[in-house]
Each structure stands twice: as C-alpha cells, then as structure tokens.
Amino acid sequence: MTDLPITVPDERKLKRMVSNRESARRSRMKKQQHLEELTSEVALLESENARAEMQANLLTERHSKVEAENAVLRAEAAQLAERLKSANKYLSLFEVARGVKMEIEEIPDPFLSPWLPVCTALLNQCNC
C-alpha cells in the first residue's frame, strides 16, 4: 500500500462523514427511545381505560340494582299508603258508630315534595 498524504479537503470530508454517521446514529437511538416511551404510554393508557370501563360497568350495574330496589320500595310505599287510607275509612266508620275520634295521620310522602327534608316534615308533625 502506498501511503498517500491526505489532503485537507479530504480530511474535512472524512470528518464530516464520520460526524454525520454519528449524528444519524444518535437520531435513530432517540427515535427508538421515543417509540419505546410511546409504546409504554399506550400500554398504560389502555390498562387505565380497561380499568375505567370495568368501573363504569360496575357502577351501571349497581345503579340498575338501586333503581330496581327503589321501584320496589315505591310500590310498597304506595301499597302501605292505600292500606292506611283503608284503615282510616274503617276507623271513621268505627268513630261514627262509637263516637270516638280514632284517625291515624298520614305520613308525608317525601317523593311528592323532595325539596322538603323528611326531618322537617316530621318536626312539623310533632309540634316541638
């Protein structure tokens, strides 16, 4: 091999080539690292989304159960109110027959006036 002296422009060109290769390598590494970070973020967000969806389904199920229970309780309350009215009718007949006042006061329905707290209605009844 012959040792030819490297000229200054060739040396600069060689340094530039090495520098460009190193810069391209760093750029590829940064890109790869960014891709890995995004991939892990996607996995994290997917697991959070699955957890939130599961919680939403659970809450929807609970809400449905509470709604069903409320419907049953409202029906029972209506039934009891009817029984109370019926009992008051019988008591009024008894009152007419015996001359004794025996009316049972109706319990206020908080569903008919929800803006009025139940405890206020009860306080008004007892005249405390």
Side-chain angles (χ1 to χ4, degrees):
M1 275 198 214
T2 59
D3 287 328
L4 295 174
I6 299 177
T7 62
V8 174
D10 288 340
E11 190 177 325
R12 284 186 192 155
K13 187 177 179 182
L14 187 61
K15 282 183 182 179
R16 232 181 309 123
M17 281 176 49
V18 169
S19 175
N20 285 348
R21 284 183 183 150
E22 183 62 27
S23 177
R25 186 185 66 78
R26 284 193 309 263
S27 178
R28 285 190 303 272
M29 286 178 60
K30 276 185 183 178
K31 190 175 182 180
Q32 181 65 32
Q33 183 180 8
H34 185 63
L35 182 62
E36 289 171 2
E37 288 172 0
L38 290 175
T39 302
S40 66
E41 187 176 349
V42 164
L44 177 69
L45 291 173
E46 283 177 344
S47 71
E48 285 180 10
N49 189 28
R51 190 172 33 253
E53 188 175 343
M54 194 167 67
Q55 187 175 10
N57 290 340
L58 181 68
L59 290 174
T60 301
E61 185 179 319
R62 283 185 191 169
H63 178 263
S64 296
K65 286 179 182 177
V66 167
E67 283 293 323
E69 186 179 338
N70 280 347
V72 168
L73 291 174
R74 283 187 183 112
E76 286 178 7
Q79 244 181 358
L80 290 173
E82 281 300 315
R83 287 176 64 188
L84 181 60
K85 284 180 185 177
S86 178
N88 276 335
K89 285 181 186 177
Y90 287 116
L91 287 176
S92 68
L93 290 174
F94 184 76
E95 179 182 318
V96 169
R98 300 280 179 152
V100 179
K101 176 107 171 109
M102 300 196 62
E103 187 170 328
I104 301 172
E105 291 185 30
E106 290 189 28
I107 299 171
D109 188 356
F111 295 115
L112 297 178
S113 54
W115 56 88
L116 182 66
V118 175
C119 59
T120 306
L122 293 176
L123 284 176
N124 290 339
Q125 281 183 353
C126 73
N127 296 323
C128 298

